[in-house]
Structure formats: structure tokens, C-alpha cells
Amino acid sequence: QVQLVESGGGLVQAGGSLRLSCAASGHTFSLYGMGWVRQAPGKERESVARISRSGTNTRYVDSVKGRFTISRDNAKNTVYLQMNSLKPEDTAVYYCAASDLLGHSMFEVPQSDKFDYWGQGTQVTVSS
């Protein structure tokens, strides 16, 4: 199985930027589709961005399209979430998640409800 550790969260003013990183260990990183999922207080978890094993295919929730970019570096076993033009409604705990896609196409994007492994989360707070 894979272990995931997020970093890069913090407090930022509205309109600012943050870059989250998620370092993976314990298994072959390129076997996993990856994603970022957030949970705000009192709300359900929301899949924000997902990326294929190859890194070439991505999906975003409508509320972050054009502002967030997910990417991965398979040589460094790391997935990133670049967040620009942040809004107070982006405030949440952000979790890195991995979906075991062994046997699937390198270009398949993991489904938002099919993650197998999770990091511990990192807090992102956007002040108005």
C-alpha cells in the first residue's frame, strides 16, 4: 500500500495562492491515480481535482476550474495542487488521495469516489 503525506497548507488572503504537495511512499507511485479532496466544516468531502497515472489527463470540480491545477512528478513520487485566486469558500482541510489503477490505462482519471488511500490532511484557510 502507499503512504501519503501532505504539506503546503496555511493561511492566505483572498486572491492569493498556495501550492500543496503530497509525497507518496511505500509502493510504486505510478500505479496510482491521484486526487485532492477537501472538507470544509459542516460539509461533505468534495473531490477537487484528479489526475491520471500518466499525468496527462485531469478533472476538476466546476468551482475550481481555471484557478486550481493538479500535476504530478512520478520521478519524485509527488502530486501537487497549485491554487490561485483563492476565495474564502476554498477554506477546508485538503486531503491527498490515491486510487489503485493497476491494470487500467495510464490515461484513466480515477473516479471521485474510488480512492483507496488517504493522507492526514492539511488545513487551508482563506481570509476575506
Side-chain angles (χ1 to χ4, degrees):
Q1 67 182 42
V2 64
Q3 291 80 45
L4 305 170
V5 179
E6 303 97 335
S7 61
L11 173 64
V12 64
Q13 288 188 333
S17 298
L18 283 175
R19 188 171 88 151
L20 305 183
S21 299
C22 172
S25 62
H27 205 243
T28 306
F29 180 64
S30 61
L31 294 177
Y32 296 89
M34 300 298 296
W36 289 94
V37 179
R38 68 185 179 187
Q39 187 165 23
K43 295 187 178 181
E44 294 185 355
R45 280 188 175 183
E46 176 183 49
S47 175
V48 173
R50 294 168 281 139
I51 190 167
S52 62
R53 291 168 58 194
S54 65
T56 56
N57 296 68
T58 57
R59 299 288 187 275
Y60 299 92
V61 69
D62 285 346
S63 59
V64 308
K65 284 181 180 177
R67 300 188 299 120
F68 289 12
T69 302
I70 187 172
S71 61
R72 66 188 294 164
D73 186 337
N74 285 346
K76 295 183 177 180
N77 293 349
T78 303
V79 62
Y80 306 96
L81 185 67
Q82 178 67 44
M83 305 185 294
N84 298 329
S85 301
L86 282 161
K87 303 176 181 180
E89 51 263 44
D90 294 319
T91 295
V93 177
Y94 283 71
Y95 298 90
C96 175
S99 176
D100 188 345
L101 293 181
L102 176 65
H104 293 241
S105 165
M106 287 288 292
F107 307 104
E108 179 177 332
V109 177
Q111 297 181 47
S112 58
D113 60 346
K114 297 293 186 182
F115 291 114
D116 303 296
Y117 304 100
W118 297 80
Q120 81 288 351
T122 185
Q123 176 70 45
V124 172
T125 302
V126 185
S127 63
S128 56

